[in-house]
Amino acid sequence: MGSGKRQASGPTSHSPLVTDLLRRLAPHQVLTSLAERRNYRYDAIQFGETPLAVVLPETTADVVAAVQAARAAGVPVVGRGAASGLSGGAAPTAPGLVISFTRMTGLRIDPARREARAQAGVVTLAVSEAARPHGLIYPPDPASFRTSTIGGNLAENAGGPMCFKYGVTGDYVRALQVVDAAGEVHELTRDAYDLAGLFIGSEGTLGLMTEATLRLVPPPLVTRTLMAHFPEVGECAEAVSQAIAAGAVPSKLEFMDRACTNAVEDYLSLGLPRGAEAVLLVDTDGDDLPTVEEERALVEAACVAAGGTVRRAGTDAEAAALWQARRSVSPALGRIRPQRMNEDIAVPRSALPEVVREIRALGDASPFTVVQFGHIGDGNLHPNILFDPRHDDPHAVHDLAHRIALVALRHGGVLSGEHGIGTMKRDFMRDAVDPVTLGALWSVKRALDPAGLLNPGKVLPEEVKG
Amino acid sequence: MNNEIRGAVPGGQGEVMAHAVDACVHCGFCLPACPTYALLGDEMDSPRGRIVLMKEVLEGALPLADASPHLDRCLGCQGCVTACPSGVPYGELITAFRGWSEPQRARSPLDRAKRSAILKILPAPKVFSVAARVGQYTKPLAPLLPAALRAPLDLLPETVPAMQPSPAVTPARGVQRGRVAFLVGCAQQALTPNFNAATLRVLARNGIEVVVPEGQGCCGAAALHTGARDEALTLVRRNLAAFHPGDYDAILSNAAGCGAGLKEYPMVLRGEHDEARARAFAAKVMDISEYLHRLLQAGELEPPLPASRPITVAYHDACHLAHAQGVRAAPRALLRFIPGVTVQEVPEGDLCCGSAGTYNLEQPELASQLGARKAKNILSTAPDLIASGNIGCHTQIQSHVRRAGSRAPVLHTVEVLDRAYRGEL
């Protein structure tokens, strides 16, 4: 996370990479000054190395040109959307070329096919906004949906509150356009070998996704929202398990612990219950009002049985305010401590109460503030360790993060539900994936990126030789 | 974001900047709120990127000259402040940074002369009025002039009305309910004298005595936001001497930019001997719409006469009202209070119109793109009239909606209310 004080200013306009880029691309697409390059080394968590140059492509051909120039110069390539990622995925680990997709914003809706064709830099929310006049929506809705780009969502296989019922980004991809490490363009579908599936969630380590064909669906006719709060975190998880076991399929099931609720309340003053240890937010939706109401009643009963207090959102505005609360958790935590280690574990729902309690206990026994929130419906939790790098020991933070990851793995869970592995959880991959499988992942990586130039230092831990 | 600014810039302004940088977690939630990011789509021209640039300049890792083009393109609209969940006081950061960096800037003599002329003419209503009149006659020559000189002429209204000095005291009509001090503002006295006249009429009609304290002057915001800190401090101290907050229920401004400037006085004087005085002063400052809205809520605002026909008003949120002062509900409530008026929300309402103080003079090209975008968004609501609460927005929007072919009147919120009281709506 070094800010690299008085770092050497890097290449001048005479560097071979820059000369080559300027030959292949228009001057306004190539950023070379220090002030420009310093701004392309971070995501929402991590600071990385200052790139040698930054390219802002407008077409797939521009991306091809940039990749070919980087390949000729032998420097790494890191793709980047809005850099709102939470695992260090877009932060360069070595000086190289950053390709920022924010100007690739072409978007076309095909209502008859219920499809959107989006370039990588299209902001997530824009897809639903463009589709809505045609009576369609794009369901994947990461909390960052006003900022994050489709390319970034694809790279991390982003989820969001809707994913319990409707699925994650990858479930909505019909076709992908990818530029590989050699600068070749591929049009991938989900037929035969699901190569599109391989690229989704690969965090820019296998290729650069430039365009996607996304599936659109009609929005549900009715939605009902409720909020429940609990005197204990485990009770909240129990309520979720019971509600689902009783047959409810809510569209959203979100959980925030006391520290999150209070951080958001400090920011938005929405009247959230500051004293509660856990807050649960639930949407049920569908086209048939009685069924939707019945599902909400099932959830409500489960919450009450687990010891919770239930509040129904009376109006759309009240429901929107509650959801605004949940969407603001992540950045609002910055008010408590400037930096955080953000976990993204997913565990079987049956193990939720135990996992939430164990993590709570680990946090209580540590010198750090540990907060938890997440898409509890599909067992995706985000335990965050908040710290101040001026005073706190980074090794102790990493250590605690590791122990939290091990809790998830011990209960049959995984390291990443939606944020990706990036640099933040790369070391924990050895605990999560057996050596034979890790070897297979490396074989895939080497097959598609023999020179190791695509987003190096991410996802896969270094192989242990011998 | 970790930083070493406190060591590099000791004192109150260093603390202001270090605190703001500390608070940023580079989450990117500010990106969609930033007008220059919307136009340019690059990180250096976004709030998050500018925070990094300022931090690195302050820490000595980046030469000021490298960062300046991107920092100069910031409108200071503070749309990012509204969008930021971490509470980064970006407005304070950029203002303090501009004050710190301006003395170190290498500027061409022409650039220097232009800036100095703007800062001399803007706060002097009589000079401004003469300049505006000269400008009016020069307007036909505009296409022949370089862009820097063309921008101010493009923005001049077709007619420059005669100045109407505000009386030292405007007595309340009927039962007196309150007593306020009023900042008369600078440019608007020359360009739109009816803003102040309507303000005095509406307040008096509602039983409020209005005092225009002698010795007051420019609020200092234009100087402060362009980095002329010494000039700004002189103006700030002059107003602190002229206004005695204890004597009034409130200190009112009807220009969002000026009101926001007055509310910034404690930040400007952070760590200086008159900081406490600035706090007492700022605690009394209100926008005219806030004050009238309080009367409305207390049931003390006289009901206006109904509009002669149903009227759709497109209300434009001035950045310095909505983002810098957080005043959104009050002007809308006042407009809705007029029977027959429907308030229309403007698409992309949070995006700056491009006026932004002296921005449309210093960055005419970006300002013009934003102005055209704002006019298109406003006109998409098919308004009968357009209301806002800031002279800068007024000039910019009027100029761009006329260019787009609309004749819809552009009024100050208080002018709409005044017309309704007079049965002229």
Side-chain angles (χ1 to χ4, degrees):
Chain A
M1 279 167 247
S3 65
K5 265 203 86 180
R6 288 185 183 77
Q7 195 166 335
S9 57
T12 64
S13 53
H14 303 298
S15 95
L17 171 68
V18 170
T19 311
D20 195 12
L21 286 170
L22 287 170
R23 206 178 60 229
R24 294 168 190 265
L25 294 157
H28 74 277
Q29 297 181 312
V30 185
L31 308 181
T32 58
S33 83
L34 186 58
E36 293 166 333
R37 292 182 288 117
R38 296 287 275 174
N39 261 308
Y40 287 89
R41 64 196 160 108
Y42 49 77
D43 68 2
I45 295 286
Q46 199 90 335
F47 273 83
E49 290 287 328
T50 303
L52 301 171
V54 179
V55 166
L56 297 167
E58 282 146 39
T59 62
T60 300
D62 295 340
V63 179
V64 169
V67 169
Q68 283 172 346
R71 191 164 174 243
V75 301
V77 176
V78 181
R80 188 181 189 271
S84 56
L86 297 165
S87 60
T93 55
L97 179 67
V98 166
I99 299 180
S100 169
F101 286 93
T102 48
R103 289 182 186 163
M104 282 184 65
T105 53
L107 174 63
R108 214 177 50 242
I109 304 291
D110 185 340
R113 296 173 66 98
R114 290 190 172 174
E115 277 177 4
R117 181 75 178 172
Q119 278 188 308
V122 172
V123 170
T124 315
L125 174 64
V127 181
S128 270
E129 278 184 345
R132 206 173 286 279
H134 304 288
L136 297 167
I137 56 162
Y138 171 67
D141 63 340
S144 59
F145 73 143
R146 289 179 195 283
T147 305
S148 63
T149 61
I150 288 296
N153 290 174
L154 289 163
E156 305 296 325
N157 199 7
M162 301 261 263
C163 60
F164 174 59
K165 182 171 176 179
Y166 292 97
V168 295
T169 298
D171 298 321
Y172 289 84
V173 177
R174 286 206 171 128
L176 266 188
Q177 187 186 67
V178 174
V179 174
D180 71 12
E184 303 282 349
V185 181
H186 302 268
E187 302 286 346
L188 307 174
T189 59
R190 314 303 298 258
D191 315 314
Y193 296 145
D194 184 7
L195 284 181
L198 183 61
F199 281 91
I200 295 162
S202 68
E203 307 187 29
T205 60
L206 302 179
L208 294 158
M209 291 175 274
T210 44
E211 280 188 35
T213 303
L214 305 169
R215 190 161 61 88
L216 305 172
V217 299
L221 295 179
V222 283
T223 301
R224 290 292 178 265
T225 301
L226 74 78
M227 191 185 79
H229 58 91
F230 300 84
E232 198 258 326
V233 277
E235 291 173 356
C236 174
E238 271 161 20
V240 169
S241 282
Q242 284 172 24
I244 294 168
V249 188
S251 55
K252 303 179 187 176
L253 273 160
E254 295 285 309
F255 147 70
M256 307 191 280
D257 77 358
R258 182 177 176 150
C260 296
T261 311
N262 281 283
V264 173
E265 196 57 17
D266 288 346
Y267 165 42
L268 293 170
S269 303
L270 296 169
L272 302 171
R274 280 182 180 274
E277 285 298 326
V279 168
L280 183 67
L281 266 169
V282 184
D283 265 9
T284 54
D285 72 11
D287 295 342
D288 176 47
L289 182 59
T291 313
V292 174
E293 293 276 18
E294 191 185 318
E295 277 195 299
R296 179 160 77 168
L298 283 178
V299 178
E300 192 170 337
C303 289
V304 172
T309 309
V310 174
R311 190 165 107 192
R312 292 173 173 213
T315 62
D316 287 352
E318 208 181 316
L322 293 176
W323 283 106
Q324 191 191 0
R326 171 58 188 90
R327 288 188 186 285
S328 304
V329 164
S330 197
L333 291 174
R335 286 172 176 247
I336 302 175
R337 287 285 185 284
Q339 218 135 14
R340 60 204 174 99
M341 171 82 192
N342 186 346
E343 292 270 15
D344 172 35
I345 54 174
V347 298
R349 251 186 324 270
S350 56
L352 271 174
E354 192 55 26
V355 167
V356 169
R357 284 189 189 113
E358 277 185 42
I359 292 172
R360 179 62 192 258
L362 280 176
D364 288 347
S366 81
F368 301 108
T369 304
V370 173
V371 306
Q372 299 190 70
F373 57 97
H375 317 304
I376 199 165
D378 39 4
N380 188 187
L381 294 176
H382 300 306
N384 276 228
I385 306 166
L386 310 182
F387 65 101
D388 185 338
R390 285 173 300 185
H391 311 298
D392 297 321
D393 173 14
H395 297 293
V397 174
H398 192 263
D399 215 48
L400 179 57
H402 196 186
R403 273 183 285 155
I404 291 173
L406 291 174
V407 171
L409 298 177
R410 201 164 54 241
H411 288 277
V414 295
L415 290 181
S416 172
E418 55 173 346
H419 295 168
I421 302 296
T423 53
M424 305 288 282
K425 282 160 291 179
R426 192 174 78 121
D427 291 349
F428 311 154
M429 282 288 275
R430 277 192 247 280
D431 302 308
V433 183
D434 64 85
V436 174
T437 307
L438 211 49
L441 296 183
W442 266 113
S443 303
V444 171
K445 165 76 176 167
R446 274 193 294 266
L448 288 165
D449 179 23
L453 293 181
L454 293 175
N455 209 5
K458 309 294 165 65
V459 186
L460 299 180
E462 292 303 318
E463 284 175 295
V464 185
K465 301 283 182 210
Chain B
M1 219 178 294
N2 249 354
N3 71 81
E4 295 161 32
I5 295 166
R6 287 176 184 85
V9 189
Q13 297 303 295
E15 180 53 40
V16 166
M17 294 186 282
H19 167 69
V21 172
D22 274 342
C24 175
V25 294
H26 38 101
C27 66
F29 273 42
C30 55
L31 299 177
C34 177
T36 54
Y37 184 79
L39 294 180
L40 302 167
D42 64 46
E43 192 69 21
M44 312 75 68
D45 295 300
S46 78
R48 178 175 69 171
R50 290 189 179 106
I51 291 174
V52 170
L53 293 180
M54 287 187 266
K55 165 186 138 61
E56 307 223 326
V57 170
L58 289 165
E59 292 179 342
L62 190 68
L64 173 61
D66 287 12
S68 293
H70 306 294
L71 300 175
D72 288 351
R73 285 207 274 270
C74 170
L75 298 122
C77 70
Q78 303 200 42
C80 53
V81 173
T82 301
C84 178
S86 301
V88 176
Y90 176 87
E92 295 188 0
L93 173 62
I94 187 99
T95 300
F97 183 88
R98 283 177 172 166
W100 171 84
S101 61
E102 189 56 35
Q104 308 170 47
R105 291 286 292 270
R107 290 187 184 275
S108 71
L110 185 67
D111 200 13
R112 232 168 247 288
K114 188 179 117 193
R115 290 171 59 81
S116 155
I118 290 172
L119 290 182
K120 284 210 169 62
I121 294 172
L122 214 55
K126 287 189 182 127
V127 182
F128 190 97
S129 183
V130 172
R133 266 158 223 286
V134 172
Q136 239 190 310
Y137 294 113
T138 330
K139 228 178 157 167
L141 303 174
L144 307 172
L145 298 171
L149 294 174
R150 206 161 56 221
L153 292 181
D154 279 351
L155 291 168
L156 271 183
E158 290 126 28
T159 51
V160 179
M163 280 181 61
Q164 300 174 24
S166 302
V169 178
T170 304
R173 275 172 50 179
V175 184
Q176 183 171 336
R177 291 204 184 93
R179 181 165 189 261
V180 298
F182 180 50
L183 180 93
V184 292
C186 305
Q188 67 176 23
Q189 284 193 72
L191 289 179
T192 54
N194 194 48
F195 282 16
N196 285 359
T199 300
L200 296 178
R201 281 194 295 269
V202 168
L203 285 169
R205 183 172 206 124
N206 282 286
I208 310 299
E209 182 186 48
V210 189
V211 179
V212 175
E214 207 180 323
Q216 65 167 290
C218 168
C219 67
L224 192 64
H225 294 154
T226 51
R229 184 170 157 82
D230 289 345
E231 284 97 317
L233 278 177
T234 308
L235 297 169
V236 167
R237 294 208 161 100
R238 187 165 93 191
N239 280 331
L240 285 182
F243 286 84
H244 302 282
D247 297 350
Y248 315 108
D249 304 327
I251 297 168
L252 297 187
S253 162
N254 60 4
C258 306
L262 298 178
K263 287 177 180 177
E264 270 183 332
Y265 282 9
M267 185 274 290
V268 183
L269 292 173
R270 178 89 52 96
E272 313 231 355
H273 67 90
D274 29 16
E275 185 182 345
R277 200 183 162 83
R279 283 192 192 287
F281 173 88
K284 278 277 168 77
V285 174
M286 289 172 97
D287 182 72
I288 178 72
S289 65
E290 281 182 284
Y291 188 79
L292 292 173
H293 188 229
R294 276 202 195 177
L295 292 181
L296 172 62
Q297 285 180 315
E300 290 177 351
L301 194 70
E302 189 190 317
L305 297 169
S308 55
R309 62 192 169 90
I311 286 186
T312 301
V313 177
Y315 176 72
H316 162 74
D317 276 307
C319 294
H320 278 104
L321 206 48
H323 300 308
Q325 301 186 57
V327 177
R328 289 186 184 77
R332 288 175 169 80
L334 291 172
L335 292 169
R336 287 201 190 98
F337 189 52
I338 305 168
V341 164
T342 311
V343 178
Q344 271 290 348
E345 292 301 321
V346 175
E348 292 191 325
D350 277 346
L351 216 56
C352 178
C353 68
S355 169
T358 58
Y359 193 85
N360 48 16
L361 304 180
E362 301 200 35
Q363 303 275 348
E365 201 175 305
L366 290 175
S368 177
Q369 285 181 43
L370 288 170
R373 186 160 168 165
K374 181 60 74 179
K376 190 171 163 235
N377 277 323
I378 287 177
L379 295 177
S380 76
T381 69
D384 298 307
L385 69 85
I386 299 156
S388 90
N390 191 44
I391 173 68
C393 310
H394 176 91
T395 321
Q396 172 88 345
I397 288 170
Q398 183 152 281
S399 155
H400 283 276
V401 296
R402 293 289 172 271
R403 229 174 278 179
S406 164
R407 302 305 299 170
V410 184
L411 302 177
H412 191 291
T413 308
V414 83
E415 280 186 298
V416 184
L417 206 53
D418 181 50
R419 282 198 185 182
Y421 278 133
R422 292 146 68 101
E424 292 170 5
L425 198 62

